[in-house]
Amino acid sequence: IADLLDISRLENGRILAAPAPFSLATLFEALGVEFKALAQNQGTSLRIRSSRLVVNSDSKLLRRVLQNFLTNALRYAHGRVLLGVRRQGHHVSLEVWDSGPGIPADKLELIFEEFKRLDSHQTRAEKGLGLGLAIADRLCRVLGHELSVRSWPGHGSVFSVKVPLAP
């Protein structure tokens, strides 16, 4: 129900960003606490490679984007998930890598539509409604951050969001 409400609020423009500087280490630590136990229960290795860099974004909305990336990665992964940071000039790319089944190139746009899932009998996808990536995409638009995905069928995917460094 929370996801449906979020989609509705995003569609109606009722979710607004309030950017402020914050440390990625704080965000990644909170995500680690939230997701490491879940990963362990699923038999998945979750590695987190944090950074002391400070970014300028809305920490709550950005956290939600990364939560959706991690939830999907843990749902589809076959053993390993990585949350990491890659510096790119005056920005950082926050990346979630998984060792899941990957996404065919012709389906990469489809996954960001509401209620669309690429289910497989080898996943835990039955737990999702197909809203997580649609919410992440809309949140990135509200934030003004670039969202991207790369995937290699049979090997995994990486979802990333490009965030400006704080001055």
Side-chain angles (χ1 to χ4, degrees), residues 30-120:
L31 289 167
V33 168
E34 184 177 352
F35 283 94
K36 282 200 174 186
L38 177 62
Q40 188 174 16
N41 288 342
Q42 294 180 352
T44 302
S45 165
L46 173 60
R47 291 182 24 206
I48 297 180
R49 297 292 178 241
S50 189
S51 169
R52 293 186 201 151
L53 292 171
V54 176
V55 295
N56 190 45
S57 185
D58 183 307
S59 63
K60 290 179 183 174
L61 298 182
L62 185 59
R63 178 178 175 161
R64 182 70 192 274
V65 170
L66 294 174
Q67 285 171 323
N68 287 344
F69 288 172
L70 286 165
T71 297
N72 265 13
L74 290 172
R75 185 172 289 141
Y76 290 93
H78 297 304
R80 295 184 316 273
V81 173
L82 169 69
L83 169 61
V85 179
R86 187 181 308 264
R87 187 170 184 160
Q88 298 174 330
H90 297 292
H91 290 80
V92 292
S93 179
L94 308 181
E95 302 178 345
V96 175
W97 292 73
D98 70 62
S99 59
I103 304 161
D106 64 334
K107 305 284 189 209
L108 287 175
E109 295 298 320
L110 176 75
I111 62 174
F112 294 103
E113 295 179 17
E114 294 100 348
F115 306 107
K116 299 290 182 177
R117 300 183 323 185
L118 304 180
D119 292 346
S120 163

Side-chain angles (χ1 to χ4, degrees), residues 3-35:
D3 285 347
L4 290 171
L5 291 172
D6 283 346
I7 283 288
S8 175
R9 285 190 288 251
L10 285 161
E11 287 292 319
N12 293 321
R14 293 189 324 211
I15 294 181
L16 303 173
F22 66 92
S23 168
L24 287 175
T26 303
L27 174 61
F28 278 35
E29 182 179 322
L31 289 167
V33 168
E34 184 177 352
F35 283 94

